[in-house]
Amino acid sequence: NAGVTQTPKFQVLKTGQSMTLQCAQDMNHEYMSWYRQDPGMGLRLIHYSVGAGITDQGEVPNGYNVSRSTTEDFPLRLLSAAPSQTSVYFCASSQTYQGYEQYFGPGTRLTVT
Amino acid sequence: GDSVTQMEGPVTLSEEAFLTINCTYTATGYPSLFWYVQYPGEGLQLLLKATKADDKGSNKGFEATYRKETTSFHLEKGSVQVSDSAVYFCALSVQMSGGGADGLTFGKGTHLIIQP
């Protein structure tokens, strides 16, 4: 099993550009989520999904879209990149949510200039 | 809302010292509690967890006990090694009344540095 994979590993965008961060898991997990990590802020939940076709907002959803068309994939779309979105983005998955270990991907480091 | 407060570092210790990283929480429901570790340049890995009051999670010599009365989940290790140098995150998840949960709420992380 590859676990949780994320692409790209690094990305530089100009303000106003759009892009999609890819996330895939091969563990047949129901629950997937996206976090951003900023210095001194810990990790904050952007969006999450409890199954294919179901998504919901987390703590900091503005400027991001998600969809879950399959169990395996959970892409994160930046609609119009802003410097405030410079961060490290982590995707995570778990068998379900309460009490189960979340498996994290290696992260995508995004810089918006 | 739910929140996690943990001591912020960096925390610098000598090898073989005793480690405590404090973590307290506020939650509206009955949370599960976690400690995650992040090594440089990597994602987060689960270190240990506890899902109900008085449970003790343990792994790789680390321990933490879920204390409902003090709303705490302090991480301890009796003798740290240089390889324990990393950032440690305390986190919680709360099951919603409808059965769902909206992910993990993290503390800000504690950077631990172990000197030989």
Side-chain angles (χ1 to χ4, degrees):
Chain A
N1 284 355
V4 179
T5 58
Q6 292 183 238
T7 57
K9 196 169 180 63
F10 301 96
Q11 183 70 50
V12 179
L13 290 178
K14 296 186 186 303
T15 297
Q17 288 184 317
S18 62
M19 79 159 295
T20 299
L21 307 185
Q22 302 292 343
C23 173
Q25 52 91 9
D26 61 359
M27 298 173 281
N28 200 33
H29 284 170
E30 293 181 359
Y31 184 89
M32 297 186 73
S33 54
W34 276 101
Y35 295 86
R36 59 178 288 172
Q37 182 180 27
D38 301 294
M41 299 291 291
L43 280 80
R44 293 180 291 169
L45 182 67
I46 305 172
H47 284 285
Y48 66 97
S49 168
V50 299
I54 307 169
T55 64
D56 208 343
Q57 297 180 352
E59 180 185 355
V60 288
N62 292 342
Y64 308 95
N65 271 0
V66 292
S67 59
R68 184 96 178 269
S69 56
T70 67
T71 299
E72 294 78 20
D73 300 299
F74 191 45
L76 177 73
R77 298 182 185 85
L78 279 69
L79 308 174
S80 177
S84 61
Q85 294 178 305
T86 294
S87 187
V88 181
Y89 291 85
F90 289 100
C91 179
S93 75
S94 65
Q95 183 176 346
T96 179
Y97 29 79
Q98 176 69 356
Y100 283 87
E101 175 179 1
Q102 289 205 28
Y103 293 82
F104 283 80
T108 295
R109 185 175 292 276
L110 176 68
T111 302
V112 182
T113 62
Chain B
D2 303 330
S3 67
V4 175
T5 301
Q6 63 181 105
M7 54 194 299
E8 295 186 38
V11 173
T12 304
L13 296 173
S14 297
E15 204 165 22
E16 300 184 2
F18 184 87
L19 169 70
T20 300
I21 302 178
N22 290 338
C23 171
T24 58
Y25 67 90
T26 59
T28 53
Y30 297 96
S32 294
L33 301 173
F34 306 84
W35 277 100
Y36 280 83
V37 59
Q38 184 179 32
Y39 298 101
E42 298 184 10
L44 278 71
Q45 304 171 27
L46 179 68
L47 181 59
L48 53 84
K49 70 176 185 182
T51 58
K52 61 183 187 296
D54 299 325
D55 271 1
K56 177 186 283 189
S58 62
N59 186 28
K60 299 181 181 180
F62 291 90
E63 293 183 339
T65 301
Y66 187 163
R67 302 286 190 198
K68 186 178 177 183
E69 63 276 11
T70 55
T71 62
S72 65
F73 193 54
H74 304 323
L75 182 68
E76 296 181 336
K77 186 175 185 183
S79 177
V80 292
Q81 306 300 313
V82 172
S83 57
D84 294 327
S85 299
V87 180
Y88 292 80
F89 292 92
C90 185
L92 66 82
S93 70
V94 179
Q95 187 165 9
M96 309 297 282
S97 59
D102 62 354
L104 291 164
T105 298
F106 284 88
K108 294 184 178 181
T110 301
H111 186 194
L112 176 65
I113 301 169
I114 307 301
Q115 296 178 333

